[in-house]
Amino acid sequence: MSGYDDIAFDDRMQTVEFRVAERAHIVVDSDVCRSCTTKACVSACPANLFAPTSDGGILFNYEQCFECGTCYQVCNAEGALTWTYPDGGHGVVFRHG
Amino acid sequence: MTDVIVVGAGPAGAAAALMAARDGLEVVLLERGPFPGSKNAYGGVVYGRVLDDVLPRWWEEVPVQRWVTRRSTMVLTDTQALTVDFRTTAWGEAPYNGCTTFRADFDGWLAGKAVEAGAHLVVNTVATGLIVEGNRVVGVRTDRQDGDLRAPLVIAADGVNSFLAKEAGLLPRTQAKHLTLGVKEVLSLPREVIDERFGVRGDEGVDVELLGCTRGIPGGGFVYTNRDSLSVGVVVSLEHLAASKVRPEELIADLKAHPAIAPWVEGAELKEYTAHLIPEGGYDHLTPLSTAGMLVTGDAAGLCLAAGLWLEGVNFAIGSGLAAGRTARRIIETGDAKPYRAALKDSFVLKDHKRLRGAPRLVLSERVQQRYPGLVADLVEGLFTVGNPTAKPGALRLLRGAAKNNGVKLRHLVADGLAGGRVFK
Ligand SMILES: Cc1cc2nc3c(=O)[nH]c(=O)nc-3n(C[C@H](O)[C@H](O)[C@H](O)COP(=O)(O)OP(=O)(O)OC[C@H]3O[C@@H](n4cnc5c(N)ncnc54)[C@H](O)[C@@H]3O)c2cc1C
Ligand code: SF4
Ligand code: SF4
């Protein structure tokens, strides 16, 4: 079967409402990621928020996050992720969940 | 004075708050989202009968998209599809069986019932931690100013990631092995087009469960009809998804491109993309249901029933929430959570889980996931392919051939058949 996605990822994420908070609710310690061998977060995050950098680390932006928990559940290294919920009322708002 | 703090206004929390408030207790229902359901995503179908004696004639007011009157199970390979299809008019009239509905609508409706009963719903508020004295939970901290809340009983209804259960030491911080990730697209289509493509009318709807469509990653897929949209998605083992390096949305794209599914979704436009985890460990991996001062309900306790043909979490969340709310007063009076555990044991919630405890392992096993879809599809293709002038092969020969082509030994087939009989007896 095909491996393509039928809609550009940005367009996909445009369908979701986010009330972005000032505080980042997830923080990635790229130094820890550099020694990570799986980089499991990169493919598994349904919002595609983990971008590998050329120096072996991770660039992360919290703004369009589903708050699903996938990343910390599959994360390969202790201490790489600080994961909390966004402050009350902020973050993702599903209408057709 | 607050008697009960319920954390999370999903189905479990709303049900707990409803029953505790009806019992005359002072109830605060905390929700971190701007409204109930705003953080929640599922397939989905709600099976509402659990509400029969709590909200009589609930079906007259539940925010329904369509009543499921037709249910199909479809086994897919890349090029084949075998469907078992059932429909009954019984599910299209009261008391109904299941309805499609969106969580923003459904969770809001149920939480509204709790509010009508006297519970105080507080949205935009995260319970950030437990307040513990001695070994007893005596309240929660919130992200509001001066946000500590104290009460003799806390009900954790905070869903699959339950940080309250984690903080209390009831749930491991990570457990990818017992979790699946669900991703879903809601796709707009005109109502008449859905009626025509799925052979339904009025407010009748269809629930299609799919097996064999996830590139060998243990899991499955679904297609549900809403009034003027389809919900299409996959649910896959988190551990195996991560190892496979496949991106979750690609699995939905695969599904939508499959020759059996593509005609259903043709011309449909993406309205919303969502993702959420599911606890699928079943009975053998439930979270302990209580600790001093706190009860754990719904997904937080791992009570979602995910057993192959069944994916029922909302009704199990409601069932456990009702039990928590009903027993809250007695638990506050005695300080002992036994009545909650006993109520769950007596209800469908733990009975069904116990009966189906072997299902998660069997359904997610390698043969069921990767080999049997091809085997049954090849078998049926063999039976129905007219190969004249060659005479028809016997069924047993076809079965042997199909088993061999898909790398299944007949003794495995017999063993799995027996195991299936035991699991689903
Ligand atoms: C893809 C998918 C498909 C599914 N399909 C179906 C289906 O078709 N039918 C079915 O019955 N079930 C289905 N389920 C399962 C079902 O969605 C869950 O079992 C059910 O939602 C559990 O209800 P709950 O109340 O326990 O938790 P949730 O619905 O997760 O509710 C938890 C609530 O707590 C809030 N919360 C969490 N933490 C905090 C905090 N610290 N402070 C304040 N609030 C907090 C959340 O915002 C949320 O509102 C599906 C699940 C998924 C992911
Ligand atoms: S899996 Fe964890 S440690 Fe590895 S790259 Fe991702 S966030 Fe970093
Ligand atoms: S919580 Fe989910 S959506 Fe958010 S970054 Fe982690 S994996 Fe991605």
Side-chain angles (χ1 to χ4, degrees), chain A residues 39-58:
Chain A
K39 301 274 192 295
C41 57
V42 173
S43 56
C45 167
N48 204 3
L49 297 176
F50 293 78
T53 55
S54 55
D55 64 346
I58 289 287

Side-chain angles (χ1 to χ4, degrees), chain A residues 1-2 4 6 12 16 19 38 42-43 45-46 67-68 72-73 85 88-90 92 94-97, chain B residues 32 34 38-39 78 103 124 143 161 166 174-175 179 184-185 245 247-248 253-254 256 272-274 277:
Chain A
M1 268 185 278
S2 63
Y4 72 94
D6 55 341
R12 168 182 296 284
V16 193
R19 300 187 184 171
T38 65
V42 173
S43 56
C45 167
E67 303 151 33
C68 67
Y72 82 81
Q73 290 286 355
Y85 286 127
H90 292 89
V92 74
F94 291 135
R95 303 282 170 176
H96 302 97
Chain B
R32 66 186 187 88
S38 55
K39 300 292 183 184
D78 285 0
R103 296 295 295 279
N124 295 323
D143 63 350
N161 283 301
K166 285 178 185 178
T174 62
Q175 46 155 1
L179 294 171
K184 173 177 88 164
E185 291 183 1
K245 301 282 173 191
R247 289 210 42 84
D254 276 4
K256 291 195 298 179
E272 195 176 51
Y273 169 54
T274 54
L277 293 179

Side-chain angles (χ1 to χ4, degrees), chain B residues 336-352:
Chain B
D336 184 346
K338 223 181 270 155
Y340 171 57
R341 292 199 304 271
L344 281 186
K345 221 180 195 168
D346 281 342
S347 84
F348 74 95
V349 176
L350 283 187
K351 282 186 184 156
D352 287 356

Side-chain angles (χ1 to χ4, degrees), chain A residues 26 45-47 49-50 60 64-72 83:
Chain A
I26 300 174
C45 167
L49 297 176
F50 293 78
F60 176 80
Q64 298 200 318
C65 165
F66 290 128
E67 303 151 33
C68 67
T70 294
C71 50
Y72 82 81
W83 203 104

Side-chain angles (χ1 to χ4, degrees), chain B residues 22-189:
Chain B
R22 269 197 196 168
D23 201 14
L25 297 171
E26 270 301 304
V27 181
V28 172
L29 175 58
L30 291 182
E31 169 56 47
R32 66 186 187 88
F35 54 85
S38 55
K39 300 292 183 184
N40 304 339
Y42 81 141
V45 177
V46 169
Y47 301 93
R49 295 296 302 275
V50 60
L51 293 170
D52 277 1
D53 36 310
V54 181
L55 300 169
R57 308 184 76 75
W58 52 269
W59 53 82
E60 290 175 359
E61 40 173 307
V62 72
V64 55
Q65 288 287 321
R66 290 177 184 256
W67 294 104
V68 173
T69 55
R70 180 172 177 201
R71 190 167 167 154
S72 309
T73 300
M74 203 181 227
V75 176
L76 302 174
T77 69
D78 285 0
T79 57
Q80 300 158 303
L82 171 69
T83 309
V84 178
D85 183 39
F86 177 73
R87 58 196 302 164
T88 169
T89 56
W91 292 350
E93 49 200 58
Y96 300 96
N97 185 48
C99 64
T100 54
T101 172
F102 297 119
R103 296 295 295 279
D105 301 329
F106 181 82
D107 291 11
W109 171 75
L110 195 59
K113 294 291 159 193
V115 171
E116 276 171 32
H120 306 284
L121 171 65
V122 182
V123 295
N124 295 323
T125 306
V126 186
T128 50
L130 296 171
I131 305 173
V132 180
E133 279 171 10
N135 277 329
R136 200 174 184 83
V137 175
V138 296
V140 298
R141 301 194 192 287
T142 74
D143 63 350
R144 298 238 167 179
Q145 234 177 9
D146 303 317
D148 286 7
L149 275 175
R150 300 172 76 92
L153 187 64
V154 171
I155 297 180
D158 52 342
V160 57
N161 283 301
S162 185
F163 290 104
L164 297 189
K166 285 178 185 178
E167 189 178 339
L170 303 174
L171 186 64
R173 200 183 95 83
T174 62
Q175 46 155 1
K177 215 192 185 112
H178 301 307
L179 294 171
T180 54
L181 172 66
V183 286
K184 173 177 88 164
E185 291 183 1
V186 172
L187 301 161
S188 323
L189 271 181

